[in-house]
């Protein structure tokens, strides 16, 4: 796996996602679900080809059929502009700045992680939560990514061992098996 | 010699139906689609491409079907007093891809009722709105509705909806499986005197037209179908391709409609390919079918067909009222077709409605179909849940997903001349074209109707067993006005180039030909004179069949009432 974050930055992200999605009862929390891996895959999406943006289809293989989610799809030239801009920022390139400059997630994470402090992984959880609340831009972006990484398809790098789905009672993708009419209409 | 008989801009239900009818009449057509093709192979036998999957990240979080709001931002304001815009980004986005809005819809395909075509005559005017009759009525439309249902493949149960109009025959397929939550809410609605019925749905319940029956995978609304069980608009596109007279050009962005010197005759379309190179396709007829947002944007950019000044005007959505209930047990709303039942009771004007309306200075109001549906995905549920310990506890309980059921009213939105699509003065898309801008505020009609019906939905939801409920609207309201913070999320967009007999008060005539440009035809919901309370797609398809048969010189369809 390539990715974008340094080992130290990944450790901060792992700690931070456990503040956003903390472990509770059988729920393992964001870090154990691999959310840091998910985020690093996204920030480093263009270190692989095709990039880690659109998983393939039609089936994951978990409910029958041939597994194809892990074969990511090539982007169109315009999609590449959009996703590189979102991830890398517009970097002064005219083709990315037709409506003005854009801050990228890489910048938001790198600067936001730095602002959390080098000792972030060592301070108590309530102090971590307070620092994260202060880092509003990072927290907003990271929470969306944490939700995706915890409960999205595992081919994107998160939802480790499908636990994100398992603990909330969600069976995940269902094709090509689908559900019987009885499973749709009945109580069970 | 033109390159083809017709160039069609857009490959959604409107364009696909036009292509099917025109190619069946022997015409050659070229279809321009600005988005990518994920729907079907463009070579025989035109099968699925395998791009579609049960993947919430791809379909909900990453704009897989387009448009990406970074590449194609849209802007929103309520009126001129808000300035040039309140924000830019995602506004009413429908898929921008081969198949258009049909690709992601869960395919609820109801017909309109007779009164919907004659609201002005039968219900009367309302101040500050331009309610008009349609230039066609239900009896004339019936055979086109029947043909549209056969073409797309609609599963439904004739006679189940007491408010439905006459039909010349049964639905092509029986309804699919009732979702468990809908079993609870339809029984509750019946106990309270309402009339729910299986939603007419363009999803196969049995093998049909060479495509398999739906297997209830649950990733329906906002997803494409991985197994080809949705007919709209795969069926008409595949029909058109099989004639050998239809060419689909994906990633081809219509720049402008080309006209002769006087602007009375269209001669083709200029478009950009994926590398930004300009091309022209010449044709005897130009069909615009990009939907009620993109069609006026293209006409305004082309500076044609607008002697009435009404291109872009009378923008309508559906005013959506959501009534959400949480149940003490799991409903598994992730199984099935997203929505399986409707009821029409909330668009019937009775004495109670007139009395309530009078208190707000309205003669009457109508809302719309109520969809009985459930099941957001877990990522959506998670993002609606606050971070921290509450997140984990609430996700384990799944009150917002697996124990949740929702009513959505697609409420009628009155046509107001001040609501419009035009070109944003500053914001651009990636191609350099001005972004489309919505200027939209609600009419008090929609607000009053929502206030009247939300408590009735609440009573049904509680009767069904919900422990707690909440209501919301789209657009969200600030007092009696639309919100400054969020545009309508309705994907039902209508009315921006209304049709009618008078060139001074309409853009297209009753056969959907431009009053100003003799060979320019519009087959999308831009032509709708009113929004009604029904999803627009079946009416788009039926109107397109009617208009394109007339265009190609095919005889009109006729039908007879059965008992």
């Amino acid at each position: 796996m390539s990715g974008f974050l340094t080992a130290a930055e990944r450790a901060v992200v792992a700690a931070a996602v456990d503040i956003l999605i903390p472990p509770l009862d059988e729920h393992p929390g964001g870090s154990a679900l691999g959310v840091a891996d998910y985020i690093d895959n996204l920030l480093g999406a263009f270190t692989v080809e095709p990039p880690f943006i659109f998983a393939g289809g039609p089936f994951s293989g978990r409910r029958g059929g041939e597994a194809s989610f892990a074969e990511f799809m090539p982007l169109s030239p315009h999609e590449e502009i959009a996703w590189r801009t979102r991830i890398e920022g517009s970097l002064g390139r005219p083709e990315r700045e037709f409506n003005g400059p854009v801050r990228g997630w890489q910048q938001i994470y790198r600067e936001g992680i730095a602002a959390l402090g080098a000792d972030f992984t060592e301070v108590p959880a309530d102090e971590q939560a307070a620092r994260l609340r202060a880092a509003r831009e990072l927290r907003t972006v990271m929470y969306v990514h944490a939700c995706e990484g915890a409960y999205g398809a595992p081919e994107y790098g998160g939802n480790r061992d499908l636990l994100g789905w398992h603990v909330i009672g969600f069976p995940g993708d269902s094709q090509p098996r689908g559900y019987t009419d009885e499973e749709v209409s009945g109580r069970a | 010699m033109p390159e083809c008989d017709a160039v069609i801009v857009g490959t959604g239900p409107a364009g696909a139906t036009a292509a099917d009818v025109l190619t069946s009449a022997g015409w050659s057509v070229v279809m321009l689609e600005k988005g990518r093709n994920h729907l079907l192979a463009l070579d025989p036998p035109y099968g699925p491409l395998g791009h579609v999957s049960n993947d919430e990240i791809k379909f909900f979080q990453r704009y897989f079907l387009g448009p990406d709001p970074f590449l194609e931002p849209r802007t929103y304001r309520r009126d001129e007093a808000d300035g040039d815009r309140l924000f830019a980004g995602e506004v009413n986005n429908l898929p921008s891809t081969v198949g258009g809005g049909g690709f992601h819809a869960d395919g609820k395909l109801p017909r309109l009722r007779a009164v919907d075509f004659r609201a002005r005559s039968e219900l009367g005017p309302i101040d500050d709105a331009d309610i008009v009759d349609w230039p066609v009525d239900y009896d004339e439309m019936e055979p086109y509705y029947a043909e549209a249902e056969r073409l797309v493949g609609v599963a439904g149960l004739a006679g189940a909806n007491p408010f439905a109009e006459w039909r010349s025959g049964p639905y092509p397929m029986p309804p699919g499986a009732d979702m468990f939550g809908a079993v609870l809410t339809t029984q509750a609605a019946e106990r309270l005197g309402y009339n729910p019925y299986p939603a007419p749905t363009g999803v196969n319940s049995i093998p049909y037209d060479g495509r398999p029956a739906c297997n209830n995978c649950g990733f329906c609304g906002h997803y494409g179908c991985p197994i080809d069980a949705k007919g709209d608009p795969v069926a008409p596109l595949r029909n058109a391709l099989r004639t050998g007279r239809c060419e689909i050009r994906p990633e081809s962005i219509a720049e402008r409609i080309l006209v002769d010197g006087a602007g009375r005759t269209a001669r083709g379309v200029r478009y950009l390919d994926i590398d930004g190179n300009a091309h022209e396709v010449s044709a005897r007829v130009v069909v615009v079918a990009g939907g009620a947002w993109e069609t006026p944007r293209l006409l305004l950019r082309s500076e044609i067909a607008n002697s009435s000044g009404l291109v872009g005007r009378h923008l309508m959505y559906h005013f959506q009222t959501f009534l959400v209930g949480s149940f003490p047990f799991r409903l598994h709303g992730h199984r099935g077709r997203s929505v399986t039942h409707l009821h029409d009771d909330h668009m019937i004007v009775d004495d109670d409605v007139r009395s309530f309306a009078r208190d707000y200075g309205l003669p009457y109001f109508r809302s719309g179909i109520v969809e009985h549906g459930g099941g957001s995905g877990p990522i959506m549920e998670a993002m609606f849940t606050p971070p921290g310990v509450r997140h984990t506890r609430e996700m384990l309980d799944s009150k917002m997903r697996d124990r949740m059921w929702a009513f959505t009213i697609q409420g009628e939105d009155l046509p107001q001349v001040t609501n419009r699509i035009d070109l944003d003065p500053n914001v651009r898309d990636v191609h350099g074209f001005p972004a489309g801008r919505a200027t939209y505020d609600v009419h008090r009609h929609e607000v009053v109707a929502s206030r009247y019906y939300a408590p009735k939905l609440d009573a049904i939801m509680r009767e069904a067993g919900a422990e707690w409920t909440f209501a919301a609207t789209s657009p969200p309201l600030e007092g009696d006005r639309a919100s400054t913070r969020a545009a309508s999320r309705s994907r039902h967009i209508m009315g921006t180039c209304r049709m009618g007999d008078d060139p001074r008060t309409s853009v297209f005539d009753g056969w959907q030909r431009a009053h100003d440009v003799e060979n320019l035809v519009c087959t999308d919901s831009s032509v709708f004179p009113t929004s009604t309370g029904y999803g627009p797609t079946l009416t788009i398809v039926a109107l397109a069949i009617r208009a394109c048969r007339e265009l190609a010189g095919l005889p009109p369809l006729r039908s007879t009432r059965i008992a």
Side-chain angles (χ1 to χ4, degrees):
Chain A
M1 191 179 309
S2 305
F4 170 77
L5 300 170
T6 65
E9 288 170 331
R10 280 175 68 104
V12 170
V13 168
V17 296
D18 268 348
I19 298 297
L20 300 174
I21 304 181
L24 178 74
D25 301 338
E26 71 270 30
H27 195 307
S31 176
L33 286 174
V35 168
D37 292 342
Y38 172 85
I39 289 172
D40 204 23
N41 273 357
L42 180 56
L43 296 176
F46 286 92
T47 60
V48 293
E49 183 59 38
F52 269 129
I53 301 295
F54 298 132
F59 308 132
S60 71
R62 288 184 279 274
R63 302 274 159 164
E66 195 179 325
S68 53
F69 278 25
E71 296 162 32
F72 275 65
M73 300 175 63
L75 303 188
S76 78
H78 287 129
E79 287 167 344
E80 179 164 346
I81 290 174
W83 284 99
R84 280 194 182 273
T85 306
R86 233 170 236 128
I87 291 169
E88 300 167 359
S90 58
L91 304 174
R93 296 171 190 236
E95 74 275 15
R96 302 185 188 182
E97 297 199 338
F98 51 92
N99 285 314
V102 177
R103 254 168 82 72
W105 291 334
Q106 291 181 348
Q107 295 152 287
I108 291 169
Y109 272 91
R110 184 139 284 161
E111 294 168 21
I113 290 167
L116 292 178
D119 59 346
F120 183 80
T121 58
E122 293 148 32
V123 299
D126 53 351
E127 170 67 13
Q128 288 178 331
R131 291 190 193 180
L132 201 51
R133 271 196 300 277
R136 290 181 67 132
E137 185 187 36
L138 174 69
R139 185 173 182 268
T140 301
V141 169
M142 189 188 285
Y143 189 53
V144 172
H145 294 161
C147 293
E148 294 169 352
Y151 308 109
E155 287 78 5
Y156 292 91
N159 191 6
R160 189 174 293 157
D161 301 328
L162 304 179
L163 278 175
W165 287 342
H166 180 72
V167 297
I168 64 170
F170 183 66
D173 54 281
S174 71
Q175 289 284 10
R177 178 195 179 276
Y179 297 99
T180 65
D181 286 2
E182 293 69 31
E183 288 169 329
V184 174
S185 304
R187 179 175 285 268
Chain B
M1 186 73 183
E3 182 179 341
C4 58
D5 291 312
V7 55
I8 301 172
V9 181
T11 60
T17 306
D20 181 21
V21 175
L22 295 176
T23 54
S24 75
W27 287 34
S28 60
V29 306
V30 171
M31 306 187 79
L32 302 178
E33 168 55 56
K34 68 187 166 89
R36 292 182 70 180
N37 176 27
H38 298 301
L39 186 66
L40 78 178
L42 300 181
D43 299 307
Y46 314 108
L49 290 169
H51 296 186
V52 181
S53 50
N54 292 174
D55 179 347
E56 190 180 7
I57 289 178
K58 191 161 108 179
F59 284 86
F60 269 84
Q61 303 296 107
R62 297 196 176 173
Y63 317 108
F64 177 63
L65 297 180
D68 187 310
F70 172 76
L71 299 171
E72 298 182 74
R74 292 168 164 188
T75 69
Y76 164 71
R77 61 179 183 170
R78 299 174 305 170
D79 58 21
E80 282 78 3
D82 283 336
D84 284 343
R85 74 196 66 77
L86 289 164
F87 56 80
E90 185 173 344
V91 183
N92 318 129
N93 285 4
L94 274 166
S96 172
T97 186
V98 171
F103 196 122
H104 85 151
D106 54 18
K108 300 300 155 321
L109 296 175
R111 299 180 177 196
L112 306 189
R113 297 164 60 227
V115 66
D116 295 309
F117 296 96
R118 295 179 45 79
R120 174 72 181 218
S121 298
E122 295 195 11
L123 295 168
I126 292 179
D127 288 348
D128 307 316
D130 297 314
I131 300 172
V132 290
D133 291 349
W134 291 40
V136 57
D137 64 19
Y138 181 82
D139 288 354
E140 185 187 346
M141 284 293 288
E142 201 287 334
Y144 299 101
Y145 274 135
E147 177 62 17
E149 288 168 350
R150 280 191 293 272
L151 172 62
V152 171
V154 178
L157 183 61
N161 175 13
F163 302 108
E165 299 296 339
W166 67 276
R167 304 175 52 88
S168 55
Y171 286 95
M173 286 176 271
D178 302 341
M179 292 172 80
F180 172 56
V183 173
L184 301 179
T185 53
T186 55
Q187 288 173 352
E190 284 170 358
R191 288 196 293 274
L192 296 180
Y194 301 108
N195 297 277
Y197 61 97
T201 303
V203 173
N204 288 357
S205 58
I206 53 176
Y208 183 84
D209 193 25
R211 293 175 292 104
C214 167
N215 63 2
N216 304 309
C217 81
F219 292 75
C220 201
H222 298 282
Y223 293 87
C225 182
I227 64 164
D228 220 15
K230 281 184 192 173
D232 166 31
V234 164
L237 285 175
R238 202 166 275 151
N239 289 348
L241 288 166
R242 281 179 182 141
T243 66
R245 291 187 286 274
C246 174
E247 182 193 343
I248 299 175
R249 297 182 189 171
E251 298 177 272
S252 298
I253 302 100
E255 178 184 348
R256 60 192 298 126
I257 295 164
L258 303 168
V259 291
D260 66 9
R264 293 283 307 172
T265 308
R267 54 185 175 80
V269 176
R270 181 182 159 92
Y271 70 95
L272 305 178
D273 66 21
I274 193 64
D275 298 315
N277 301 312
H279 304 267
E280 289 184 10
V281 52
S282 59
R284 290 196 295 119
V285 170
V286 173
V287 178
V288 284
W293 183 296
E294 294 298 328
T295 284
R297 185 173 170 230
L298 176 60
L299 295 182
L300 290 169
R301 198 153 76 216
S302 305
E303 300 177 283
I304 60 166
N306 198 18
S307 66
S308 65
L310 292 176
V311 170
R313 298 275 183 184
H314 297 114
L315 167 67
M316 298 175 289
Y317 304 121
H318 279 136
F319 185 90
Q320 295 172 318
T321 303
F322 310 102
L323 194 293
V324 178
S326 187
F327 286 73
F329 43 85
R330 290 187 180 246
L331 300 171
H332 50 76
H334 52 266
R335 305 177 194 163
R337 291 160 174 72
S338 299
V339 168
T340 56
H341 290 72
L342 306 175
H343 66 262
D344 288 12
D345 302 79
H346 300 337
M347 52 188 129
I348 307 304
V349 178
D350 60 19
D351 289 344
D352 279 350
V353 165
R354 288 188 193 278
S355 167
F356 193 91
R358 269 196 298 276
D359 293 343
Y360 294 90
L362 295 165
Y364 65 90
F365 55 77
R366 299 198 301 167
S367 195
I369 46 171
V370 177
E371 300 174 350
H372 296 228
S376 70
I379 295 171
M380 193 66 65
E381 178 184 32
M383 293 194 307
F384 275 119
T385 306
V389 176
R390 251 184 87 189
H391 172 103
T392 318
R393 192 181 303 120
E394 293 188 12
M395 288 300 288
L396 287 169
D397 277 353
S398 199
K399 286 189 171 61
M400 290 296 294
R401 182 182 58 81
D402 211 4
R403 298 175 199 273
M404 189 200 90
W405 200 250
F407 293 132
T408 303
I409 310 188
Q410 305 287 356
E412 178 156 12
D413 182 13
L414 296 188
Q416 303 178 70
V417 73
T418 47
N419 286 345
R420 66 189 298 201
I421 300 294
D422 70 353
L423 304 180
D424 190 282
N426 302 111
V427 177
R428 294 287 182 271
D429 70 15
V430 69
H431 317 294
F433 304 141
R437 171 174 66 179
T439 301
Y440 177 88
D441 205 345
V442 294
H443 189 288
R444 66 185 179 284
H445 165 274
E446 288 88 74
V447 179
V448 172
S450 179
R451 280 192 193 134
Y452 180 77
Y453 285 117
K456 298 183 187 300
L457 295 179
D458 187 82
I460 302 171
M461 197 62 87
R462 289 178 187 279
E463 172 71 17
E467 289 183 309
W468 52 267
T469 62
F470 68 88
T473 65
S474 175
L477 296 175
E478 292 173 6
D480 288 346
R481 295 201 61 191
S483 169
T484 54
R485 294 167 288 112
S488 167
R489 294 190 65 81
S490 172
R491 265 67 171 178
H492 298 165
I493 313 168
M494 294 158 279
T496 49
C497 298
R498 60 173 25 185
M499 63 175 171
D501 296 328
D502 186 342
R504 292 167 303 179
T505 57
S506 56
V507 180
F508 289 90
D509 70 15
W511 293 100
Q512 298 171 238
R513 298 196 196 204
H515 289 299
D516 296 349
V517 184
E518 58 193 3
N519 59 341
L520 176 68
V521 176
C522 176
T523 57
D524 65 39
S525 55
S526 303
V527 301
F528 283 24
T530 56
S531 67
T532 83
Y534 290 99
T537 302
L538 191 76
T539 301
I540 293 171
V541 173
L543 282 173
I545 295 170
R546 175 179 170 273
C548 291
R549 286 184 66 90
E550 194 269 346
L551 182 66
L554 297 172
L557 296 177
R558 308 272 184 219
S559 62
T560 47
R561 271 179 206 243
I562 55 170

